[in-house]
Amino acid sequence: MKLLLVEDNERVSRFVIKGLVEAGHTIDHADNGRDGMFLAAGEAYDAIVLDRMLPGEIDGLGIIAALRSNGSRTPILILSALSDVDERIRGLKAGGDDYLVKPFAFGELLARLDALVRRTRAGDSTTLAVGDLKMDLLSRKVTRGARAVALQPREFKLLEYLMRHADQVVTRTMLLEGVWDYRFDPQTNVVDVHVSKLRQKIEPGGERPLLRTIRNAGYMLTANA
Amino acid sequence: MRRLPRSTAFRFALGYVALGIAVLALFAGPLWYTWRENVEEVRTELLREDVQSLTDIFHSEGPDVLAAVIAARVNRQHVANSIILFADQSLRPLAGNLDAWPGQAPRAPGVHRLTITQDGRSIRALLVRTELPGGYNLLVGRDSSRFRPLEILFLYGLAGASAVLALAGVLGGWLIRRALLSEVHRIRQTALAIVEGDFSRRLPVRGGGDELDLLAQTVNRMLDQIEQLFHGVRDVSNAIAHDLRTPLAELRSRLEELSLVRPGAERVYAEIEAAVTDVDRVIGIFNALLRLAEIDTGVRRSGFVPVDVAALAGDVADFYQPVAELEGVNLALDAAGAPTVAGDPLLLSQALANLVENALKYGDGSIAITVRRDASVVEMAVSDHGPGIADAERARVVERFYRGDASRGTPGVGLGLSLVAAVARLHGGRLELADNAPGLRATLLLPPALEPTRLRPGAGLSARHELAPELLAD
């Protein structure tokens, strides 16, 4: 993927660029609003990672507003030290696609970027499939090979989220927000317990594992384990 | 003296004095005018009658008889204060009690008001001049100085009354000002003491229930609130210092040891991961604090929507069910009806989740979530059978960073119940902790939504969509 990072903090930039390059992406970097705007308007990127508060005439929200008013639909992930719900809403209303509060774990950033880019490519299919695991969204039936998998409504939603983000790392925070609509960190490992319950249902006994635990990041549903 | 007119009481008194004098003038002015007019009219009438009788004598008897009649009248002096003069064509006096025709007497006949000289003294007079046939002139008048003392008495009375009014006003103003000043002075002394840092002081309340007392009581309530906030901030600072220092100290020693010892790569990586965990703990504390501050400002009230509390509790129960099962705890939900509150579904979920997590952490055997509604209150309660909280500690556990004896050695920041209490406050409700005999029963008491009809199915959910439309699976 070709990505643009607009971030004025040198250390954060180095950390993000190094991580993204290691993950196989190409990065352009601007350390102020004016250069960021120039690059964002002139080049085609798969996604833009944008700090909210930037030096140089135009800030993060200004860049987003300018891009959106020019008809650009490039996914934008906002980085911000402002964690208030109101600030988050402002960022999203301005046209951002996701909002990540600093400080953040790199795994979280990478997973959310992946999700953003693939979402824009995803189609409107009524069935989902990962390997021999199939989900029919209309009849709400799940099968693994020939075997029907019986799921509770919330488990169905969890699996649907994982299947929509197949072959991507999905963090616990993303699951909390996407499946339960919660925006707080539970003190217990409740998300892990839900995932392990789901795992017992879709890959009981000797079947080939589909749901991988990614250390220090989250989970990934993939047929290529 | 510059201070006098600046006093509010004194300005009031002066205003009232001016008003009193104005009312007095309003009363006395017309009275004075009407009296003067009436008296003058009656006098003129009398003079005209006099003139008429004298003219009649002139016409019937001739000038000589008239002169004799006038002379006789003057001699008799039967009319006090009367002025009479009969003169020939060249205004030479023929008879009367004036030595000469008054120089300033106008030529024209009619009624005139003049100051003339009679017997060597100057008098104010009302005069009627008549021209008789043959060029004779008749001047009849009356000394109006007769009413002078009465007029003066009236004016003196008016001035005296004004003076008494002014004196009473000034004295009253001064007394009120003195009383107010002593009161204000006392308030000021207390306020200054508070400014100096003595937060225990309160404004004096005399118990009379007057305006100043009301003000003092209101200010005292404000001071109570400020003192509480002040202590709160100090406690929080101490708690932050303690709770943040501990992980920071661990982190620091970990990193310092690494740089000193320089162990093998494997050990370095392990230490770095532990350091990241330390930092995450600090970040977690910061996030919890910011969240609390955000809730306490009350700005999120603007985003309130009708929330179905039973459905919300159901979601939370579902969410924690697998964890409860794993720990062998029975988590039961008992929700009656469809109680609705106006609120923030995210925060209410988090508050209930905090209570359930507490129960999971400290409780034992079974946890019950109950949702009830009656006319005046919506209740969300979480009961457990754990060690509970001792009576003495109950008030303190909702304080920021307070961690009861039971929680020592368990993970957690000590902000959970403060957050629940803050969420309750934001919604106009409160958090109640009670003995569940054994265990703890934590109850969120919330005011019900005023218009339950406004609830639309999934209204709470749509608010969440608004928060992060891009994050929902679609």
Side-chain angles (χ1 to χ4, degrees), chain A residues 78-128:
Chain A
I78 304 169
L79 292 179
S80 174
L82 304 173
S83 65
D84 281 11
V85 173
D86 286 346
E87 293 298 335
R88 184 188 201 97
I89 292 173
R90 272 182 67 196
L92 298 179
K93 273 200 177 144
D97 297 276
D98 199 357
Y99 194 100
L100 192 56
V101 176
K102 288 192 212 173
F104 53 86
F106 181 75
E108 190 76 37
L109 174 70
L110 190 61
R112 281 173 186 267
L113 266 179
D114 255 7
L116 274 186
V117 173
R118 298 209 201 180
R119 194 191 59 174
T120 52
R121 293 180 192 154
D124 290 323
S125 170
T126 58
T127 55
L128 298 169

Side-chain angles (χ1 to χ4, degrees), chain B residues 21-331:
Chain B
I21 289 174
V23 169
L24 207 61
L26 226 62
F27 167 72
L31 190 72
W32 173 260
Y33 179 77
T34 316
W35 181 69
R36 282 280 298 258
E37 286 295 301
N38 274 314
V39 164
E40 209 131 289
E41 204 174 298
V42 171
R43 278 171 158 184
T44 314
E45 201 56 42
L46 286 173
L47 285 178
R48 280 192 199 285
E49 278 172 23
D50 208 11
V51 165
Q52 193 56 50
S53 65
L54 290 173
T55 310
D56 287 349
I57 293 172
F58 179 85
H59 282 306
S60 55
E61 313 292 339
D64 295 338
V65 177
L66 181 61
V69 168
I70 290 172
R73 222 164 97 173
V74 168
N75 283 338
R76 277 204 317 276
Q77 284 281 333
H78 79 286
V79 180
N81 302 309
S82 80
I83 294 161
I84 189 161
L85 188 63
F86 182 49
D88 61 11
Q89 297 93 323
S90 50
L91 298 177
R92 206 172 51 233
L94 297 174
N97 55 6
L98 282 185
D99 302 332
W101 191 267
Q104 65 278 59
R107 291 251 163 241
V111 183
H112 303 280
R113 212 168 281 114
L114 286 176
T115 304
I116 56 166
T117 312
Q118 187 187 31
D119 300 335
R121 64 192 179 93
S122 175
I123 53 168
R124 237 161 27 102
L126 187 67
L127 299 167
V128 177
R129 179 186 171 172
T130 320
E131 283 183 341
L132 297 171
Y136 289 101
N137 289 289
L138 182 64
L139 193 66
V140 177
R142 197 110 355 177
D143 177 8
S144 29
S145 324
R146 180 178 160 194
F147 289 102
R148 194 76 189 145
L150 208 61
E151 286 174 15
I152 288 169
L153 194 68
F154 186 87
L155 285 175
Y156 275 2
L158 209 59
S162 301
V164 169
L165 201 65
L167 201 68
V170 170
L171 195 71
W174 181 70
L175 283 175
I176 294 172
R177 176 169 175 266
R178 210 174 65 156
L180 272 179
L181 267 191
S182 80
E183 207 56 38
V184 168
H185 187 68
R186 267 163 54 196
I187 293 176
R188 197 161 161 259
Q189 288 297 314
T190 315
L192 283 176
I194 294 168
V195 168
E196 303 274 309
D198 183 0
F199 262 97
S200 62
R201 293 284 292 272
R202 290 293 176 270
L203 297 187
V205 177
R206 289 162 307 168
D210 62 7
E211 296 87 342
L212 275 176
D213 266 9
L214 281 180
L215 182 68
Q217 280 164 0
T218 312
V219 171
N220 282 346
R221 278 222 302 281
M222 184 177 86
L223 289 172
D224 288 343
Q225 179 74 14
I226 291 175
E227 189 186 10
Q228 205 189 333
L229 288 174
F230 177 73
H231 286 312
V233 168
R234 202 172 52 193
D235 291 351
V236 168
S237 311
N238 292 341
I240 292 176
H242 177 263
D243 274 58
L244 285 183
R245 252 188 209 142
T246 312
L248 283 175
E250 279 173 27
L251 177 64
R252 192 182 186 289
S253 52
R254 203 186 293 282
L255 293 176
E256 192 171 7
E257 197 192 338
L258 265 188
S259 83
L260 287 177
V261 176
R262 296 175 185 277
E266 205 54 37
R267 169 88 198 286
V268 169
Y269 289 131
E271 287 294 314
I272 287 175
E273 268 173 33
V276 169
T277 310
D278 285 343
V279 171
D280 282 347
R281 223 168 106 201
V282 174
I283 292 170
I285 293 171
F286 263 117
N287 286 345
L289 276 174
L290 287 174
R291 188 118 208 202
L292 261 176
E294 189 193 345
I295 294 167
D296 275 344
T297 56
V299 288
R300 296 193 63 179
R301 227 170 266 150
S302 57
F304 274 14
V305 291
V307 180
D308 178 348
V309 177
L312 183 141
D315 285 347
V316 171
D318 279 352
F319 186 53
Y320 284 102
Q321 197 66 53
V323 181
E325 278 168 20
L326 203 69
E327 296 185 4
V329 174
N330 176 35
L331 178 64

Side-chain angles (χ1 to χ4, degrees), chain A residues 83-86 88-89 92-93 96-99 101 103 112 116 119 154 157 160-161 164-165 174 176-178 180-191 193-194 197 215-216, chain B residues 273 283 287 290-291 294 299-300 302 312 315-316 318-323 325-327 346 349-350 353-354 357 360-361 411-413 461 464-474:
Chain A
S83 65
D84 281 11
V85 173
D86 286 346
R88 184 188 201 97
I89 292 173
L92 298 179
K93 273 200 177 144
D97 297 276
D98 199 357
Y99 194 100
V101 176
R112 281 173 186 267
L116 274 186
R119 194 191 59 174
R154 194 63 74 173
K157 211 174 169 198
E160 181 190 341
Y161 190 92
R164 282 186 186 280
H165 297 86
M174 286 165 76
L176 268 174
E177 291 172 357
W180 285 276
D181 292 337
Y182 288 160
R183 205 172 293 283
F184 55 87
D185 296 326
Q187 300 291 308
T188 55
N189 58 344
V190 54
V191 174
V193 177
H194 278 283
K197 267 193 79 182
R215 199 161 154 270
N216 284 338
Chain B
E273 268 173 33
I283 292 170
N287 286 345
L290 287 174
R291 188 118 208 202
E294 189 193 345
V299 288
R300 296 193 63 179
S302 57
L312 183 141
D315 285 347
V316 171
D318 279 352
F319 186 53
Y320 284 102
Q321 197 66 53
V323 181
E325 278 168 20
L326 203 69
E327 296 185 4
L346 279 177
S349 299
Q350 184 173 5
N354 277 11
E357 282 185 358
L360 281 169
K361 209 189 297 180
V413 180
L461 262 177
R464 280 177 257 177
H465 280 270
E466 207 176 283
L467 286 178
E470 85 298 356
L471 289 174
L472 292 163
D474 47 3

